[in-house]
């Protein structure tokens, strides 16, 4: 039996958008989601009001994602009123109990900040188990403070079999995203990818050409994975 490449379609989130033209570029390139950073210390910060303005540009089936870092419940819920169809991303020290309370029934992701230093222990299986009600675990590189570090962590340190949906983040670019997909996807139920600085000309300023290159690299990786799987099935 042949298998369609669509079986291996990797979902794509372009994060840290601050301008209308960047939202439009992400949509035109075929992104599945855009990320809006509501963390005041980030250079990509947008207010809840601004997030609502940008999210209203999205067509059906492109999801806005609101990123929070250790905000009070009332701040999270107020932002959700501005973007009622948003997926939530908690990127600080939020507990599973907080995530459930603040999300008020909305889907949410929890960021796992994975140390780049392999000598520093991090138990992803335990982390995923504690956040079992999350829609996905976002795999990011640990940095001082919070937010993305713009660099990768050693993908080889991830456990070989984690029964959750995952989003690979941290230092992805058009040049390395295919390798990340090939290494990380077999370890999880499904895999999506999340890029920010890797498609920027300056912090908070996206480059439409780089966004298109990134999406094209992901799609090419999907085709290769599908061909490899079909070849294995044919050989069997």
């Amino acid at each position: 039996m042949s298998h369609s490449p669509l079986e291996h379609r990797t979902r794509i989130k372009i994060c840290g958008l601050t301008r209308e033209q960047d939202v439009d570029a992400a949509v035109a390139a075929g992104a599945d989601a855009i990320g809006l950073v509501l963390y005041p210390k980030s250079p990509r910060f947008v207010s809840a009001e601004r997030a609502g303005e940008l999210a209203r540009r999205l067509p059906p089936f492109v999801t806005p994602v609101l990123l929070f870092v250790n905000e009070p419940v009332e701040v999270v819920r107020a932002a959700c009123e501005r973007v009622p169809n948003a997926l939530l991303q908690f990127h600080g020290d939020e507990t599973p109990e907080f995530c459930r309370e603040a999300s008020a029934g909305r889907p949410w992701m929890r960021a796992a900040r994975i140390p780049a230093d392999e000598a520093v222990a991090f138990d992803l299986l335990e982390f995923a188990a504690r956040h079992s009600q999350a829609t996905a675990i976002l795999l990011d590189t640990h940095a001082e403070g919070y937010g993305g570090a713009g660099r990768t962590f050693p993908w080889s340190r991830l456990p070989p079999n984690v029964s959750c949906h995952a989003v690979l983040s941290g230092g992805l670019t058009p040049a390395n995203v295919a390798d990340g997909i090939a290494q990380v996807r077999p370890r999880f139920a499904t895999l999506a990818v999340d890029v920010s600085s890797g498609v920027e000309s300056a912090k908070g300023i996206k480059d439409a050409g780089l966004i298109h290159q990134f999406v094209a690299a992901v799609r090419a990786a999907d085709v290769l994975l599908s061909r490899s799987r079909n070849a294995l099935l044919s050989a069997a």
Side-chain angles (χ1 to χ4, degrees):
M1 178 185 295
S2 64
H3 291 261
S4 166
L6 290 178
E7 289 184 3
H8 288 286
R9 186 179 187 278
T10 302
R11 306 292 171 179
I12 300 170
K13 171 173 168 256
I14 310 295
C15 196
L17 301 184
T18 62
R19 308 184 304 168
E20 283 84 358
Q21 58 263 48
D22 297 337
V23 173
D24 295 346
V27 170
D32 299 283
I34 66 161
L36 302 164
V37 179
L38 278 72
Y39 177 45
K41 293 183 180 180
S42 170
R44 301 170 183 88
F45 168 73
V46 294
S47 66
E49 180 179 8
R50 178 65 173 150
E53 293 172 353
L54 294 172
R56 282 193 289 275
R57 299 184 71 84
L58 296 174
F61 312 125
V62 179
T63 302
V65 180
L66 301 181
L67 187 155
F68 301 96
V69 176
N70 298 333
E71 292 288 0
V73 168
E74 57 270 20
V75 171
V76 174
R77 291 189 175 178
C80 290
E81 291 180 5
R82 297 277 188 176
V83 192
N85 60 329
L87 174 69
L88 310 185
Q89 179 177 327
F90 296 109
H91 217 98
D93 303 307
E94 298 90 353
T95 65
E97 294 75 22
F98 175 89
C99 295
R100 290 194 294 270
E101 179 184 0
S103 61
R106 295 179 178 85
W108 52 276
M109 298 188 295
R110 183 68 171 86
R113 301 165 65 222
I114 300 173
D117 183 353
E118 294 191 61
V120 179
F122 185 88
D123 190 338
L124 183 61
L125 291 173
E126 189 273 338
F127 186 92
R130 282 197 294 115
H131 295 87
S132 60
Q133 294 188 21
T135 298
I137 300 298
L138 185 137
L139 311 169
D140 200 5
T141 307
H142 186 278
E144 292 301 319
Y146 299 95
R151 55 194 175 94
T152 61
F153 61 88
W155 299 322
S156 59
R157 74 174 305 183
L158 293 170
N161 189 10
V162 187
S163 59
C164 71
H165 300 292
V167 181
L168 181 61
S169 184
L172 294 180
T173 68
N176 68 11
V177 66
D179 189 33
I181 291 170
Q183 289 194 44
V184 177
R185 175 181 284 172
R187 303 168 188 263
F188 294 89
T190 65
L191 184 71
V193 291
D194 184 337
V195 66
S196 183
S197 62
V199 292
E200 287 183 338
S201 57
K203 288 187 177 181
I205 306 299
K206 302 308 188 212
D207 182 298
L210 289 175
I211 291 175
H212 280 267
Q213 289 175 34
F214 186 87
V215 172
V218 173
R219 297 293 166 246
D222 287 348
V223 171
L224 285 176
L225 280 172
S226 291
R227 287 175 178 170
S228 297
R229 184 172 185 270
N230 290 343
L232 289 173
L233 290 171
S234 298

